[in-house]
Amino acid sequence: MTLIDRYLAAVAAQLPAAGRDDVVAELRDDIMSRIEARQEGLGRDLTDDEVEAILREVGHPLEVSARFGSGPQHLIGPELFPWWMFGVKVGLIVLVAITLFSVLIKTISGQDLSQAIGQGFASLFSGAMTLIGVATAAGYIIERQGEKPSFITNWRVRDLGFFEVARLDAEGFNRALGSDAGAPESVRKTQRMSPVARALSSAVAAAVLTAWWAGAILFGGVPLNEWVVVVAGVDYTHAVRETVSLIFWPVVVYGVSRVLFDVFRAANPRAVRLAAVGDIALACARFVFTAWLLLISPLSRALEVGDLRQALERTWDTVQTGFQSGVWSLSGIVVMIMVMSLLEPAGRILISLVRLVTGVDRRLEPSR
């Protein structure tokens, strides 16, 4: 095999089968024309070194095949890159928040702080690499589609509040969440996140939390069902693991339903009554989950909560003792959190019932 044949074979190996022969023939003609012109100028045949020099001028087989290949010559182009960067940034914000929560829970449960932080950093790094890899793979696929997704061009100004979430400074978060109490009312209204933005941010958070619960993402380096939970010298590990085992699949179903509902709500922001029905169903599920955890679950038995009256008394005793002596019972705090968690879905149900009856969602009203 001559140098030219070897060179052309290397180029052909990088080309798709369709049109390969035509490209190789065209390239061979170009190479032979260069060689003949050089031979005519020198008045003799070229040596192998001189032929190789011409082939170097033509270019490396990988570069040459790329010029003849189809599709973009980059993973993610300039049009899609800002979307990739935004998705990665929001995903990292959620990962950091959940990692900090995981470190806090592990520290409260008795694990050494330095060990918890080390595991948190390791899991955060692993999760970040996975997130970036998945985002890059998705961007690579989208980049090579004949038609770009509609969200790149078919966007609305009313939905742009969600993009403020990517700002990491406190001022940006205050504006995104509409909590800048010092600003005039007219300014606060224009800074609130739109219903579409809230739905999308809720979908992202629910997706990450569901993935963590299912074990697809590990925070703290240990699956949830393998956590060791020791609070104030009392081992709650068995109760926690048994509780997780009993509600594992119901929580997965709830998480997936939450994501799908939020996506629907983002795509149909004016479907007030349908959104109200979904809110009521999900709030009822949260209420049942919380009531079960508080009153019936293995964790409830470990915390020695017999009924709702005892839970309320335990909450009051925890608050009263905490303020009087400055000593707060961690198990009492857990009971208090679960009692208070019953109020959120109850309030959500009442608000959603009003929207279901009236068909009006004040969050959709334009700012004045």
Side-chain angles (χ1 to χ4, degrees):
M1 179 181 290
T2 66
L3 292 176
I4 298 174
D5 291 333
R6 182 169 294 132
Y7 177 86
L8 292 174
V11 174
Q14 317 306 319
L15 296 171
R20 178 186 298 162
D21 293 340
D22 293 337
V23 171
V24 170
E26 179 183 346
L27 189 57
R28 182 186 292 275
D29 290 341
D30 178 55
I31 293 172
M32 295 306 299
S33 297
R34 295 188 186 209
I35 291 176
E36 291 173 359
R38 188 71 55 85
Q39 289 179 156
E40 183 177 348
L42 295 175
R44 60 175 175 81
D45 293 338
L46 301 183
T47 64
D48 287 346
D49 289 342
E50 291 171 330
V51 171
E52 187 164 0
I54 290 178
L55 295 177
R56 286 200 187 96
E57 292 175 3
V58 176
H60 192 281
L62 292 178
E63 297 174 359
V64 174
S65 61
R67 293 201 296 266
F68 288 99
S70 59
Q73 301 302 316
H74 46 253
L75 287 177
I76 300 174
E79 182 182 15
L80 190 61
F81 179 78
W83 294 87
W84 176 89
M85 178 60 73
F86 173 78
V88 169
K89 187 181 288 188
V90 171
L92 290 177
I93 291 173
V94 176
L95 287 176
V96 170
I98 296 180
T99 300
L100 291 175
F101 176 76
S102 172
V103 171
L104 176 63
I105 294 298
K106 283 179 170 291
T107 304
I108 292 176
S109 66
Q111 183 172 333
D112 180 71
L113 177 60
S114 61
Q115 182 181 4
I117 292 175
Q119 291 178 345
F121 272 118
S123 61
L124 178 60
F125 179 79
S126 175
M129 292 300 100
T130 301
L131 170 68
I132 294 173
V134 171
T136 302
Y140 177 88
I141 294 172
I142 293 174
E143 189 67 54
R144 280 148 184 79
Q145 300 303 309
E147 183 177 346
K148 294 294 187 294
S150 60
F151 64 78
I152 293 180
T153 56
N154 188 24
W155 53 272
R156 300 181 302 178
V157 174
R158 71 181 66 178
D159 301 332
L160 297 182
F162 175 63
F163 292 89
E164 297 180 31
V165 176
R167 291 191 58 176
L168 296 176
D169 56 283
E171 180 187 355
F173 275 119
N174 285 335
R175 286 205 310 272
L177 298 175
S179 58
D180 190 356
E185 177 63 20
S186 59
V187 174
R188 292 204 302 271
K189 284 184 177 181
T190 61
Q191 292 172 345
R192 292 172 184 164
M193 290 176 66
S194 69
V196 174
R198 283 192 293 269
L200 290 176
S201 60
S202 175
V204 171
V208 174
L209 288 171
T210 304
W212 165 70
W213 176 267
I217 300 176
L218 296 181
F219 296 105
V222 181
L224 181 62
N225 60 356
E226 295 181 11
W227 279 16
V228 176
V229 182
V230 180
V231 179
V234 181
D235 190 348
Y236 294 98
T237 301
H238 178 72
V240 170
R241 292 183 181 181
E242 187 177 357
T243 300
V244 170
S245 176
L246 289 172
I247 63 173
F248 178 82
W249 285 112
V251 172
V252 170
V253 171
Y254 172 85
V256 173
S257 301
R258 175 87 252 178
V259 173
L260 294 177
F261 169 68
D262 285 331
V263 171
F264 167 81
R265 193 173 53 173
N268 303 274
R270 296 289 173 180
V272 175
R273 285 193 167 90
L274 284 177
V277 172
D279 271 328
I280 291 171
L282 292 173
C284 287
R286 288 199 305 278
F287 187 89
V288 171
F289 275 142
T290 306
W292 181 84
L293 283 173
L294 178 64
L295 304 174
I296 304 175
S297 70
L299 181 59
S300 170
R301 295 194 296 270
L303 292 171
E304 299 180 350
V305 178
D307 53 33
L308 183 59
R309 181 182 60 81
Q310 291 183 7
L312 293 174
E313 291 177 352
R314 182 82 165 274
T315 298
W316 172 248
D317 290 341
T318 298
V319 174
Q320 191 176 36
T321 303
F323 280 111
Q324 289 178 352
S325 64
V327 178
W328 293 80
S329 167
L330 292 179
S331 60
I333 292 175
V334 172
V335 174
M336 180 174 63
I337 291 174
M338 288 195 289
V339 169
M340 296 179 65
S341 297
L342 288 172
L343 300 178
E344 187 277 332
R348 175 67 63 180
I349 291 171
L350 292 177
I351 293 173
S352 299
L353 283 174
V354 172
R355 291 179 183 147
L356 179 62
V357 172
T358 63
V360 176
D361 186 346
R362 294 189 179 276
R363 296 171 299 180
L364 297 176
E365 295 179 359
S367 303
R368 296 179 181 177

